[in-house]
Amino acid sequence: MFIRLFPANGCAMTTTLRHHLILLLTCGCVFFLNLGAARLFDEDEPKNAECGREMYERSDWVVPTFNYELRTDKPIMLYWLMLSSFNLLGVSEFSARLPSAIMATVTVLTVYQIGWRFFGQAVAFWSSIILSSTMMYVVSGRISTPDATLIAFITLSIFAYIRLQPVGEKGWSQPESAAWPKAYLPANFSGYVLLYALMALAVLTKGPVGFLLPCSVIGLFLMCRGQAPHAPQDLSWNRPLQSANELVNYLAAFITPSRFFPALWAMRPFTILLVVGLVALPWYITVGWMTNGAWLEGFLGSHNIGRFSSAMEGHSGPIFYYVIAILMGFFPWSVFLPVTLYLAASQRHRFEKDNQGLLFLLCWAGVYVGFFSIAQTKLPNYVLPCYPPLALLMGWTLVRWQEGSLTLPNWSYIWGARSLILSGLALIIAFPIVSYILLPGYWAVGLVGCLPIAAGCWMLTQNQLMNRKQILKGIGVCSIAFVSTVFAGITPWISQAQESSQLGLSASRLSDSSVPLATYQYFAPNLPFYAERPVLRHHSSEEVAQFWKEHPDGVLCVRDQELSQLDDVMPKDVVVMEKIDRFLRPYQIVLLKRRSTAPRTAAQPSVESVIR
């Protein structure tokens, strides 16, 4: 069925077209604007980009490597997308990040479709605006990590399930047949194939969680629809033992085998294994064969079972870790998040047409937050797949409040407005202090706090005028302006201060890519990407002596405070090619090369500092 883009008079745009144009413009600002201006940040982004560059360099579409060594952290999908981008546009920060920006946009548009099917166009539009202007989600769409791609495939698979459910007079997923659980699943085999094929693409992006958790979301929803036992109503902190006993009895009745296994069987587990196997297994088998099983052992063992069962690389946290992480990552909209979850859970039964959609979204968000809260390794990006349902829940809450059908407690509204103002003031006050200590010259970054202050003041002013229709517009504009300013303006500016990218660019400028580059007790993932060569990592003076012996034309990076440790092994003709201040740390990094092989360039200082 074709969507009519213009009304009968042929003049004004339809609501659907107008919404999509605004969303595309918003995504252009928050995801694509100045996308390639910032240098690669943090640990994961340069590792992923360098992995893609090395695969592109050797025309390899199977085995991922970082610093020319096997990398087992992530499956292949992100690298395939980056390789396609590199082949079209060449190797750069922009082309490395382009797949993430595209996939983040796909998710925003998919959220619109989900919201439209659940709650109507107004909720769909504002949910998409909310998602596209939250801090952590915008980060995922502007860096070369698999998060945006994973979220896109998960959201598409969830949408496939939602799209296959009927929408009747009573709302979404209210089938005429009461045959549980089949009435709440695709009616034909092709529906299952589409659903699980999209999950299989998520498996190629991040591993088994790509199908286990989306299936858990659908399974939990089925369990909630299948004559679930009544939740205990009289839980009390004054009766902890009795309340705990009632809760345990409820959970036992909820997941009793007579309910669990029919739901599992109705989801066709053998079809899941067949479709996921046909789509994802060929690459997993190929990479396992080409690496003699080393990649499979590292990925499935260390990066799946290991991360769930123990805290890796110091990334641990308490059980409530993700409560704090989501409140920070969902900023500036997080000021509405607590009241959103409360109202969606407690008031959904009042809205017959919205009820099942709200239940499904609560299951979706709950599965991801619950699973990763139990996992021992914790990182803020792990729960990014729950941002779309949270945005939809918030869009529903704010639009229904705007329409007058839902009451938002006045104290929560005032608290939200004041929180935005206080957050803005904190940025204005704190960042000049941080800049003075760690980033001289960047004090003006704190002025971005004016935007949350403007949003908070707008909320208070319009609330006094009782003008609810304008409130969301003002917050939306300020939120989009805030994330665009932070990530398209401030981030590229600050990224220029990273010493690792400067070192790599200097090494590339001062020596050919065939010249070996080494470090002593120092390494940054940016180095191989910007130097366009492998980086040898040395940890003892003996290794450095051997490096100079084997590679007299080589280049060495070392922290200036550790130069004295190399006095006995440093050749007498070594010169300082470059000194660069460390990013957010004291001291400098020194780039060294032997005088006899040091090229004379216009950029080279006229007076060379000679070691020893």
Side-chain angles (χ1 to χ4, degrees), residues 302-316:
S302 298
H303 293 287
N304 280 267
I305 298 173
R307 286 182 181 272
F308 184 83
S309 59
S310 60
M312 293 183 63
E313 301 169 353
H315 298 305
S316 61

Side-chain angles (χ1 to χ4, degrees), residues 23 26-27 107-113 115 122-133 137 391-392 395:
L23 291 176
T26 299
C27 290
T107 301
V108 169
L109 298 178
T110 306
V111 163
Y112 182 89
Q113 295 299 320
V123 174
F125 174 74
W126 282 108
S127 299
S128 301
I129 290 291
I130 290 168
L131 179 65
S132 61
S133 54
Y137 184 75
L392 284 159

Side-chain angles (χ1 to χ4, degrees), residues 288-342:
W289 176 72
M290 293 185 68
T291 61
N292 294 319
W295 191 93
L296 294 175
E297 180 182 356
F299 177 69
L300 296 176
S302 298
H303 293 287
N304 280 267
I305 298 173
R307 286 182 181 272
F308 184 83
S309 59
S310 60
M312 293 183 63
E313 301 169 353
H315 298 305
S316 61
I319 193 73
F320 56 84
Y321 174 91
Y322 287 112
V323 174
I324 300 171
I326 292 173
L327 285 174
M328 295 177 65
F330 222 76
F331 187 83
W333 295 95
S334 53
V335 296
F336 296 112
L337 198 52
V339 72
T340 287
L341 295 175
Y342 170 74

